[in-house]
Amino acid sequence: MSYAGSAPAEEVPNEVNSSQNNEHLSAPKSAAASTMAPSMQSEALEMHVEGSGAGEPSIEQLYNNVCEMESSSEGGSPSRESLGSDGEESRIDSELRHLVAGEMEAMKVIEEEEENRSVANALPSAENGTPVRAQSSNSSKKSKKASKSQLESDASVGPNGKASTEEGESEISKPTSRVGRRQKSNAYPRNGTEDAGLDNPDLGPFLLKHARDLIASENPRQALKYALRATKSFEKCAGGKPSLNLVMSLHVVAAIYCNLGKYEEAVPVLHRSLEIPVIEEGQEHALAKFSGCMQLGDTYGMLGQTALSLQWYASGLEIQKQTLGEQDPRVGETCRYLAEAHVQALQLDEAQRLCQMALDIHREHDEPASLEETADRRLMSLICDTKGDHEAALEHLVMASMAMVANGQETEVASVDCSIGDIYLSLGRYDEAVFSYQKALTVFKTSKGENHATVASVFVRLADLYNKTGKLRESKSYCENALKIYQKPIPGTSLEEIATGLTDVSAIYETMNEHEQALKLLQKALKMYNNSAGQQSTIAGIEAQMGVLHYILGNYAESYDSFKSAIAKLRTCGEKKPAFFGIALNQMGLACVQRYSINEAAELFEEARTALEQEYGPYHPDTLGVYSNLAGTYDAMGR
């Protein structure tokens, strides 16, 4: 009995490879895609850090505008001045500092008692006379980031041992010294309770400014405490009325949760922030709601819930259109932002429509060959190339390159040259592709250094080109050059960038039938992602490819485990890519057949058939392959 996809060996990885190209995991083009499509979550976090440059996307500009506005219901509150001020003239930092001195003393009490508690917990305890080493955030591995459980326990348990109602908020236990008693009495002079002084209109802005400074200094845990306290103060001062200060504070709290990797906790905070603004109150409220929608879309995207992410992006775009007008240049930038999200979701038709809208708006309002139009064309090129329209993609890139040369952006032109080389490679124009890659390589070595990850990405492109032209010796040489850089990256290189590069090189080794080497590289890439909550879809793609390689090597138990883990992640994060999901199910079914788990194989083939029929229809080769596998399985079951 033979199964589609089980023999010959070369046919098995090709199915998943096609999906992984779309996932930007194994194809060398993924480096170009990631260069053109910035991380949406990182932009969301940067919205809340002061000092953004003038060249940031309009989403951040609009958010910063909202941050500087004071609520129409709060009249003459000085919060607008204080939040936007970092200089010596800030009222809160100078004249009004004494008004919040008590609150700062209270925060010190909380911090000191938490430190005392953590020290007490760290002392070794003995059971039956045996010392026990307590775990702390300062482990022998000297991890720079505390684990999730440590963050939750440190932030959610008060000094008195009781769980607080909000993370970062802790009740103050009775002091055990005169110093503690004096600090407590100074902090809460009115009634001795924790909420005393929160109705001071100057307190919220001061605490929120301090929280944002802590974010900038990379101390998110402390920032969360101040941001939650500021939110409580804004809520008390608002008195049930719509407050833009409260909205802004909730956005900052959500961003800190995301910075800590607690995306699930950020979601209800953002939903609450959307309930406060009243669009009828004016443009400030509308833009505050727009900012919340976009940040919620980013957060759902990091959770892998693509459908919800795109839904909230669309809601934000509609609010922005109604507020600013459909032809506003800032609307154009948001259209491009959404187009990038649709590209990542492989919804290319919608991505092309949105990108064309952005291009039309920027061509109408900006100067010819503007930076905004250039960004639109680069994205449009990626979309056209992914859809197979290589000629149109090349046209957009050439126009973008000419505009960037006119604006003196030589380093950025090198990135465009890489993309042009990719398209020449797709068109089979290999000499022109080599020329484009070598041209970009020269610029990157000069501007970034010979050991930069960007240089390694060009090496990977050249390796892929020579592999496709049958020059395996040259291809291996470039792969080795890239791996030397990835194995000893320069400081500042992100782990995600290295993991992507390792995955790309793995795909090349796989086509050379060096499956063990390809598998080792995927295992290294998987360790770098470290099961990150915001990368579940990407991790699932790597695990699925590992399952294919294990299958080829005859490691059917390991293949089954890899596919099982990948499919579980795809189900959990609500991944809406039926083709990739269906192919992974089909491959897992093949592994079950090899392990003689015929009944489970039949269930997986049935589910794969449903997914592929939905995506491709009944006559696509992948769907027909599943039909063949399902028929063989039924035959083995006597059905």
Side-chain angles (χ1 to χ4, degrees):
M1 176 174 58
S2 64
Y3 290 86
S6 60
E10 288 81 358
E11 294 179 5
V12 180
N14 289 342
E15 294 180 356
V16 176
N17 272 345
S18 63
S19 295
Q20 282 213 283
N21 288 341
N22 294 336
E23 288 281 340
H24 304 293
L25 290 175
S26 59
K29 290 182 184 179
S30 62
S34 62
T35 303
M36 284 191 257
S39 170
M40 289 181 283
Q41 184 61 29
S42 64
E43 291 186 6
L45 288 175
E46 290 169 2
M47 292 178 192
H48 311 285
V49 182
E50 295 176 351
S52 300
E56 297 294 328
S58 64
I59 296 171
E60 297 183 19
Q61 295 170 355
L62 291 175
Y63 183 83
N64 290 333
N65 290 340
V66 173
C67 290
E68 294 174 0
M69 298 168 186
E70 69 177 349
S71 171
S72 58
S73 63
E74 293 179 353
S77 171
S79 60
R80 178 175 180 180
E81 294 180 15
S82 59
L83 266 179
S85 175
D86 288 323
E88 297 179 355
E89 297 180 358
S90 170
R91 288 187 61 209
I92 286 181
D93 288 344
S94 55
E95 299 173 14
L96 301 179
R97 194 177 188 89
H98 66 281
L99 295 177
V100 293
E103 180 66 22
M104 298 304 296
E105 289 294 329
M107 294 302 294
K108 287 181 181 178
V109 173
I110 295 174
E111 294 166 11
E112 288 175 2
E113 295 194 2
E114 286 185 350
E115 289 177 2
N116 292 336
R117 187 180 71 255
S118 63
V119 171
N121 291 338
L123 292 175
S125 60
E127 185 175 353
N128 299 327
T130 304
V132 179
R133 184 181 298 275
Q135 293 182 350
S136 68
S137 58
N138 296 324
S139 63
S140 59
K141 296 182 180 179
K142 296 190 182 299
S143 171
K144 291 183 179 180
K145 293 184 179 180
S147 65
K148 182 174 182 180
S149 60
Q150 290 169 332
L151 295 180
E152 291 174 347
S153 62
D154 289 347
S156 60
V157 179
N160 58 357
K162 296 183 181 180
S164 61
T165 56
E166 290 185 282
E167 185 170 4
E169 298 283 337
S170 55
E171 297 178 0
I172 298 182
S173 59
K174 294 181 179 180
T176 56
S177 66
R178 291 183 179 181
V179 175
R181 187 176 297 110
R182 179 178 55 80
Q183 288 178 332
K184 181 177 178 181
S185 62
N186 288 338
Y188 306 117
R190 294 189 180 183
N191 52 15
T193 65
E194 188 179 357
D195 291 342
L198 289 178
D199 55 353
N200 184 342
D202 298 313
L203 178 60
F206 179 84
L207 292 175
L208 190 58
K209 179 182 180 297
H210 192 56
R212 292 170 61 156
D213 291 340
L214 287 170
I215 296 174
S217 62
E218 299 182 356
N219 192 352
R221 293 178 61 193
Q222 287 296 101
L224 181 61
K225 297 176 184 178
Y226 285 96
L228 286 170
R229 194 80 177 151
T231 301
K232 209 167 184 180
S233 177
F234 283 131
E235 189 171 19
K236 195 164 186 179
C237 292
K241 297 179 180 179
S243 167
L244 292 183
N245 283 330
L246 177 58
V247 174
M248 174 180 57
S249 185
L250 290 170
H251 289 177
V252 173
V253 170
I256 298 173
Y257 276 134
C258 291
N259 195 4
L260 292 169
K262 300 180 179 181
Y263 305 105
E264 296 87 352
E265 298 182 41
V267 169
V269 175
L270 290 170
H271 277 290
R272 181 186 172 198
S273 74
L274 291 174
E275 297 172 357
I276 298 172
V278 180
I279 295 180
E280 293 76 13
E281 290 288 333
Q283 189 179 86
E284 294 89 349
H285 284 257
L287 295 182
K289 195 160 189 174
F290 157 77
S291 179
C293 288
M294 300 302 292
Q295 192 175 348
L296 189 56
D298 290 341
T299 305
Y300 276 124
M302 293 302 294
L303 287 169
Q305 300 183 28
T306 308
L308 282 172
S309 175
L310 296 177
Q311 175 185 327
W312 284 106
Y313 285 148
S315 299
L317 179 60
E318 289 304 314
I319 292 173
Q320 192 185 37
K321 282 182 178 180
Q322 294 174 9
T323 306
L324 302 177
E326 294 191 359
Q327 296 301 313
D328 191 282
R330 290 167 289 182
V331 173
E333 293 183 16
T334 305
C335 287
R336 184 174 67 238
Y337 192 82
L338 267 65
E340 292 173 355
H342 281 282
V343 168
Q344 294 181 8
L346 297 181
Q347 298 180 9
L348 300 179
D349 291 337
E350 182 64 14
Q352 188 170 19
R353 184 185 71 84
L354 288 165
C355 191
Q356 188 63 51
M357 288 174 57
L359 186 58
D360 293 340
I361 293 172
H362 289 140
R363 280 192 300 188
E364 180 178 348
H365 290 86
D366 297 329
E367 297 292 328
S370 65
L371 297 179
E372 288 76 14
E373 181 181 342
T374 300
D376 296 337
R377 290 196 180 279
R378 292 181 67 180
L379 180 58
M380 185 65 83
S381 171
L382 175 63
I383 296 169
C384 293
D385 187 36
T386 308
K387 294 180 71 173
D389 190 356
H390 305 303
E391 295 290 351
L394 184 59
E395 180 182 351
H396 282 293
L397 277 181
V398 170
M399 295 181 69
S401 178
M402 293 170 60
M404 295 170 82
V405 169
N407 289 317
Q409 298 176 288
E410 276 119 19
T411 304
E412 289 79 0
V413 171
S415 299
V416 174
D417 286 335
C418 283
S419 301
I420 291 175
D422 293 340
I423 297 176
Y424 280 138
L425 181 60
S426 301
L427 293 170
R429 296 161 64 174
Y430 300 119
D431 292 338
E432 292 167 289
V434 170
F435 176 77
S436 296
Y437 289 149
Q438 292 290 357
K439 182 181 174 184
L441 188 62
T442 301
V443 175
F444 284 140
K445 282 184 176 181
T446 303
S447 61
K448 297 179 179 293
E450 295 192 356
N451 294 321
H452 197 275
T454 308
V455 174
S457 70
V458 182
F459 285 147
V460 174
R461 286 173 160 87
L462 287 165
D464 183 52
L465 185 150
Y466 285 118
N467 181 47
K468 289 180 177 178
T469 55
K471 298 179 180 180
L472 302 185
R473 191 175 189 179
E474 291 85 348
S475 180
K476 282 187 179 180
S477 176
Y478 279 114
C479 282
E480 291 169 1
N481 289 338
L483 290 176
K484 287 179 183 177
I485 296 175
Y486 290 135
Q487 288 169 358
K488 293 183 179 180
I490 62 175
T493 306
S494 68
L495 292 179
E496 183 179 351
E497 190 173 7
I498 299 172
T500 301
L502 292 175
T503 309
D504 293 341
V505 177
S506 171
I508 297 173
Y509 276 121
E510 184 179 340
T511 61
M512 296 178 182
N513 292 325
E514 297 191 14
H515 301 122
E516 292 184 357
Q517 178 67 10
L519 184 59
K520 289 178 182 178
L521 293 175
L522 287 179
Q523 289 169 341
K524 288 182 181 179
L526 191 62
K527 288 181 181 178
M528 289 185 177
Y529 282 111
N530 195 25
N531 203 26
S532 171
Q535 300 286 348
Q536 293 298 292
S537 178
T538 302
I539 294 171
I542 294 177
E543 289 177 334
Q545 191 65 21
M546 289 173 61
V548 170
L549 292 171
H550 278 304
Y551 187 94
I552 295 172
L553 293 170
N555 306 326
Y556 301 120
E558 290 84 352
S559 176
Y560 174 83
D561 291 339
S562 294
F563 281 122
K564 185 177 181 180
S565 178
I567 290 172
K569 287 181 175 63
L570 293 175
R571 294 187 197 278
T572 301
C573 67
E575 190 60 51
K576 300 296 182 180
K577 296 185 178 72
F580 176 65
F581 188 58
I583 291 171
L585 289 168
N586 179 58
Q587 298 290 351
M588 185 175 176
L590 293 173
C592 286
V593 170
Q594 296 294 338
R595 299 174 72 243
Y596 303 104
S597 302
I598 305 300
N599 292 331
E600 184 178 0
E603 294 175 359
L604 292 167
F605 288 142
E606 283 283 7
E607 191 174 0
R609 180 181 72 171
T610 302
L612 291 176
E613 283 179 344
Q614 175 184 346
E615 180 72 8
Y616 292 144
Y619 304 113
H620 191 274
D622 289 339
T623 311
L624 294 174
V626 174
Y627 289 160
S628 177
N629 293 340
L630 192 56
T633 306
Y634 284 151
D635 180 54
M637 295 171 68
R639 292 172 61 181

